[in-house]
Amino acid sequence: MTLEFPFDPLKRSEEVENQVTSGDKRLYYRFRAAPYYGGIATADAVGCSFLCAYCWNYNRNLHPERFQQFYSPQQVADKLLHIAQKKSFRLFRISGAEPILGEKTFTHLIEVLRLINLSKPDSLFILETNGFFLGYQTDLLNKFREFPNLKVRICLKGIDHNSFEHMTGAQNDFFRFPLTALKELEKLGVRTWPALMGDLFSREEINEFEKLLEESGIHSQLELEYLEAYPFVLDNMRKRKIRC
Ligand code: SF4
Protein backbone atom coordinates (compact mmCIF):
# COMPACT_ATOMS: atom_id res chain seq x y z
CA MET A 1 0.00 0.00 0.00
CA THR A 2 1.47 3.40 -0.98
CA LEU A 3 1.40 5.97 1.79
CA GLU A 4 2.02 9.66 1.37
CA PHE A 5 1.98 12.00 4.35
CA PRO A 6 -0.36 13.48 5.38
CA PHE A 7 -2.84 10.77 4.41
CA ASP A 8 -6.63 10.53 4.55
CA PRO A 9 -7.25 8.34 7.63
CA LEU A 10 -10.71 7.30 6.46
CA LYS A 11 -9.28 5.89 3.27
CA ARG A 12 -6.43 4.29 5.18
CA SER A 13 -8.84 2.74 7.72
CA GLU A 14 -10.81 1.13 4.94
CA GLU A 15 -7.73 -0.21 3.16
CA VAL A 16 -6.15 -1.51 6.35
CA GLU A 17 -9.40 -3.09 7.52
CA ASN A 18 -9.54 -5.04 4.28
CA GLN A 19 -5.98 -6.25 4.87
CA VAL A 20 -6.47 -7.34 8.48
CA THR A 21 -9.86 -9.05 8.24
CA SER A 22 -11.10 -12.22 6.64
CA GLY A 23 -14.81 -12.89 7.21
CA ASP A 24 -15.36 -12.38 10.93
CA LYS A 25 -11.65 -13.00 11.66
CA ARG A 26 -8.89 -10.47 12.35
CA LEU A 27 -5.10 -10.60 12.24
CA TYR A 28 -3.34 -10.94 15.60
CA TYR A 29 0.30 -11.76 16.15
CA ARG A 30 0.49 -12.49 19.88
CA PHE A 31 -1.52 -13.20 23.04
CA ARG A 32 0.12 -12.43 26.36
CA ALA A 33 -0.19 -11.63 30.05
CA ALA A 34 0.85 -7.96 30.28
CA PRO A 35 1.79 -6.14 33.50
CA TYR A 36 -0.22 -2.93 32.78
CA TYR A 37 -3.21 -1.99 34.99
CA GLY A 38 -1.86 -4.45 37.56
CA GLY A 39 -2.14 -7.42 35.14
CA ILE A 40 -4.22 -7.71 31.95
CA ALA A 41 -4.86 -10.44 29.36
CA THR A 42 -3.79 -8.86 26.06
CA ALA A 43 -4.37 -9.70 22.41
CA ASP A 44 -1.86 -7.88 20.17
CA ALA A 45 -3.29 -7.05 16.75
CA VAL A 46 -1.94 -5.27 13.66
CA GLY A 47 -3.41 -2.47 11.58
CA CYS A 48 -4.18 1.15 12.39
CA SER A 49 -5.89 4.16 10.84
CA PHE A 50 -2.95 6.33 11.97
CA LEU A 51 0.80 5.88 11.85
CA CYS A 52 2.01 7.72 14.96
CA ALA A 53 5.67 8.68 15.10
CA TYR A 54 5.89 7.24 18.63
CA CYS A 55 3.96 4.01 17.98
CA TRP A 56 5.75 1.09 19.69
CA ASN A 57 4.26 -1.18 17.00
CA TYR A 58 5.17 1.09 14.06
CA ASN A 59 6.62 -1.45 11.64
CA ARG A 60 3.89 -4.02 12.17
CA ASN A 61 1.25 -1.32 11.57
CA LEU A 62 3.12 -0.13 8.49
CA HIS A 63 3.21 -3.67 7.08
CA PRO A 64 0.22 -5.67 8.33
CA GLU A 65 0.45 -7.77 5.16
CA ARG A 66 3.47 -9.53 6.69
CA PHE A 67 1.16 -11.33 9.11
CA GLN A 68 -0.95 -14.33 8.19
CA GLN A 69 -2.74 -15.60 11.26
CA PHE A 70 -6.41 -14.63 11.37
CA TYR A 71 -8.42 -15.38 14.54
CA SER A 72 -12.19 -15.56 15.00
CA PRO A 73 -13.80 -13.76 17.98
CA GLN A 74 -14.25 -17.16 19.65
CA GLN A 75 -10.54 -18.00 19.25
CA VAL A 76 -9.52 -14.57 20.61
CA ALA A 77 -11.87 -14.85 23.58
CA ASP A 78 -10.70 -18.41 24.34
CA LYS A 79 -7.03 -17.39 24.31
CA LEU A 80 -7.63 -14.34 26.51
CA LEU A 81 -9.81 -16.27 28.96
CA HIS A 82 -7.16 -18.97 29.21
CA ILE A 83 -4.49 -16.35 30.09
CA ALA A 84 -6.82 -14.69 32.59
CA GLN A 85 -7.59 -17.98 34.28
CA LYS A 86 -3.91 -18.95 34.51
CA LYS A 87 -2.88 -15.55 35.93
CA SER A 88 -6.03 -14.79 37.96
CA PHE A 89 -6.65 -11.63 35.91
CA ARG A 90 -10.04 -9.98 35.44
CA LEU A 91 -8.86 -7.34 32.95
CA PHE A 92 -8.79 -7.73 29.15
CA ARG A 93 -7.73 -5.60 26.19
CA ILE A 94 -6.61 -5.51 22.55
CA SER A 95 -3.32 -3.68 22.01
CA GLY A 96 -0.68 -2.88 19.38
CA ALA A 97 -3.18 -1.64 16.80
CA GLU A 98 -6.49 0.15 16.42
CA PRO A 99 -9.32 -2.21 17.45
CA ILE A 100 -11.91 -0.30 15.36
CA LEU A 101 -11.04 0.48 11.75
CA GLY A 102 -14.55 0.18 10.35
CA GLU A 103 -17.72 -1.84 10.74
CA LYS A 104 -16.07 -5.25 10.20
CA THR A 105 -13.51 -4.77 12.98
CA PHE A 106 -16.19 -3.18 15.18
CA THR A 107 -18.39 -6.28 14.80
CA HIS A 108 -15.39 -8.52 15.55
CA LEU A 109 -14.65 -6.52 18.72
CA ILE A 110 -18.27 -6.59 19.91
CA GLU A 111 -18.32 -10.37 19.55
CA VAL A 112 -15.07 -10.70 21.54
CA LEU A 113 -16.61 -8.49 24.24
CA ARG A 114 -19.82 -10.54 24.28
CA LEU A 115 -18.00 -13.86 24.58
CA ILE A 116 -15.71 -12.67 27.37
CA ASN A 117 -18.63 -11.16 29.24
CA LEU A 118 -20.58 -14.40 28.89
CA SER A 119 -17.77 -16.58 30.27
CA LYS A 120 -16.54 -14.14 32.89
CA PRO A 121 -19.22 -11.70 34.05
CA ASP A 122 -16.87 -10.11 36.61
CA SER A 123 -14.37 -9.15 33.87
CA LEU A 124 -13.45 -5.61 32.84
CA PHE A 125 -12.55 -4.90 29.21
CA ILE A 126 -10.43 -1.79 28.66
CA LEU A 127 -10.91 -0.65 25.09
CA GLU A 128 -7.82 1.33 24.11
CA THR A 129 -8.67 3.22 20.91
CA ASN A 130 -7.57 6.29 19.00
CA GLY A 131 -11.28 7.16 18.80
CA PHE A 132 -11.05 8.10 15.15
CA PHE A 133 -13.62 5.78 13.54
CA LEU A 134 -15.91 6.02 16.58
CA GLY A 135 -15.96 9.81 16.15
CA TYR A 136 -16.70 9.42 12.46
CA GLN A 137 -19.52 6.93 12.89
CA THR A 138 -21.07 7.86 16.22
CA ASP A 139 -24.13 5.64 15.73
CA LEU A 140 -21.86 2.69 16.65
CA LEU A 141 -21.40 4.02 20.18
CA ASN A 142 -24.84 3.00 21.39
CA LYS A 143 -23.79 -0.65 21.21
CA PHE A 144 -21.31 -0.09 24.04
CA ARG A 145 -24.19 0.54 26.44
CA GLU A 146 -24.86 -3.21 26.36
CA PHE A 147 -21.52 -3.82 28.13
CA PRO A 148 -21.38 -2.46 31.68
CA ASN A 149 -18.02 -4.24 32.03
CA LEU A 150 -16.42 -1.93 29.43
CA LYS A 151 -14.23 1.14 29.88
CA VAL A 152 -13.08 3.15 26.86
CA ARG A 153 -9.69 4.86 26.96
CA ILE A 154 -9.35 7.27 24.04
CA CYS A 155 -5.70 7.94 23.27
CA LEU A 156 -5.52 11.47 21.85
CA LYS A 157 -2.55 12.14 19.64
CA GLY A 158 -2.35 15.91 19.45
CA ILE A 159 -3.57 19.01 21.23
CA ASP A 160 -4.47 20.90 18.06
CA HIS A 161 -4.76 20.38 14.30
CA ASN A 162 -1.04 20.75 13.64
CA SER A 163 0.28 18.48 16.37
CA PHE A 164 -2.36 15.89 15.44
CA GLU A 165 -1.14 15.79 11.83
CA HIS A 166 2.49 15.80 12.87
CA MET A 167 2.12 12.90 15.34
CA THR A 168 -0.32 10.69 13.42
CA GLY A 169 0.63 11.35 9.80
CA ALA A 170 -3.11 11.85 9.14
CA GLN A 171 -4.60 15.01 7.62
CA ASN A 172 -5.32 17.63 10.26
CA ASP A 173 -9.01 18.07 9.26
CA PHE A 174 -9.68 14.90 11.25
CA PHE A 175 -8.33 16.24 14.58
CA ARG A 176 -11.78 16.59 16.17
CA PHE A 177 -13.09 13.09 15.45
CA PRO A 178 -11.67 11.47 18.64
CA LEU A 179 -12.99 14.42 20.68
CA THR A 180 -16.46 13.82 19.21
CA ALA A 181 -16.24 10.16 20.23
CA LEU A 182 -15.34 11.14 23.80
CA LYS A 183 -18.13 13.66 24.09
CA GLU A 184 -20.76 11.29 22.73
CA LEU A 185 -19.60 8.41 24.95
CA GLU A 186 -19.87 10.63 28.00
CA LYS A 187 -23.39 11.65 26.95
CA LEU A 188 -24.39 7.99 26.64
CA GLY A 189 -23.05 7.24 30.12
CA VAL A 190 -20.34 4.85 28.85
CA ARG A 191 -17.29 4.92 31.14
CA THR A 192 -14.57 6.71 29.19
CA TRP A 193 -11.55 8.94 29.61
CA PRO A 194 -8.92 10.65 27.41
CA ALA A 195 -5.17 9.99 27.50
CA LEU A 196 -2.34 12.07 26.01
CA MET A 197 1.40 11.53 25.61
CA GLY A 198 2.45 13.93 28.37
CA ASP A 199 6.16 14.26 27.64
CA LEU A 200 5.59 15.67 24.15
CA PHE A 201 3.88 18.85 25.37
CA SER A 202 4.70 21.58 27.87
CA ARG A 203 2.66 22.03 31.06
CA GLU A 204 1.15 25.22 29.58
CA GLU A 205 0.11 23.41 26.40
CA ILE A 206 -1.50 20.65 28.45
CA ASN A 207 -3.36 23.21 30.58
CA GLU A 208 -4.70 24.86 27.43
CA PHE A 209 -5.71 21.49 26.04
CA GLU A 210 -7.58 20.63 29.24
CA LYS A 211 -9.52 23.88 28.79
CA LEU A 212 -10.31 22.94 25.19
CA LEU A 213 -11.64 19.54 26.34
CA GLU A 214 -13.85 21.21 28.93
CA GLU A 215 -15.14 23.75 26.38
CA SER A 216 -15.86 20.85 24.00
CA GLY A 217 -18.14 19.27 26.60
CA ILE A 218 -15.64 16.60 27.72
CA HIS A 219 -15.49 16.41 31.50
CA SER A 220 -13.58 13.20 32.30
CA GLN A 221 -10.05 13.68 33.57
CA LEU A 222 -7.12 13.66 31.15
CA GLU A 223 -4.58 10.89 31.82
CA LEU A 224 -0.98 11.66 30.91
CA GLU A 225 0.97 8.70 29.58
CA TYR A 226 4.67 8.56 28.88
CA LEU A 227 6.73 7.57 25.90
CA GLU A 228 8.27 4.11 25.55
CA ALA A 229 11.59 5.39 24.20
CA TYR A 230 12.74 2.42 22.09
CA PRO A 231 15.60 3.41 19.71
CA PHE A 232 13.36 2.99 16.63
CA VAL A 233 10.72 5.24 18.29
CA LEU A 234 13.30 8.00 18.86
CA ASP A 235 14.47 7.54 15.29
CA ASN A 236 10.92 7.88 13.90
CA MET A 237 10.40 10.98 16.06
CA ARG A 238 13.60 12.53 14.72
CA LYS A 239 12.51 11.81 11.15
CA ARG A 240 9.22 13.66 11.81
CA LYS A 241 11.14 16.44 13.61
CA ILE A 242 9.26 15.93 16.88
CA ARG A 243 11.09 17.08 20.00
CA CYS A 244 11.01 14.83 23.06
S1 SF4 B 1 -3.05 5.12 17.13
FE1 SF4 B 1 -1.93 3.77 18.53
S2 SF4 B 1 -1.67 1.84 17.39
FE2 SF4 B 1 -2.23 3.43 15.93
S3 SF4 B 1 -0.28 4.15 15.10
FE3 SF4 B 1 -0.91 5.51 16.80
S4 SF4 B 1 0.12 4.66 18.63
FE4 SF4 B 1 0.16 3.05 17.03
Side-chain angles (χ1 to χ4, degrees), residues 203-235:
R203 189 60 250 178
E204 291 70 34
E205 287 173 322
I206 291 168
N207 290 345
E208 280 305 306
F209 186 55
E210 284 175 327
K211 269 193 229 159
L212 172 76
L213 292 178
E214 195 62 41
E215 286 161 12
S216 306
I218 296 159
H219 307 296
S220 41
Q221 200 182 345
L222 179 67
E223 174 197 337
L224 295 180
E225 57 177 335
Y226 292 93
L227 196 68
E228 301 206 43
Y230 300 111
F232 72 89
V233 167
L234 297 177
D235 200 38

Side-chain angles (χ1 to χ4, degrees), residues 90-106:
R90 62 177 282 269
L91 303 186
F92 296 80
R93 69 173 180 159
I94 292 172
S95 185
E98 172 50 42
I100 304 157
L101 296 160
E103 291 191 23
K104 282 189 277 182
T105 41
F106 180 78

Side-chain angles (χ1 to χ4, degrees), residues 7 12 45 47-58 61-62 95-99 101 128-131 155 157 167-168 197 225 240:
F7 51 81
R12 178 168 163 78
C48 190
S49 35
F50 297 161
L51 203 52
C52 301
Y54 55 72
C55 183
W56 65 266
N57 217 15
Y58 191 97
N61 285 327
L62 183 60
S95 185
E98 172 50 42
L101 296 160
E128 296 178 333
T129 170
N130 62 32
C155 308
K157 305 299 172 186
M167 299 292 172
T168 61
M197 198 58 83
E225 57 177 335
R240 292 238 195 128

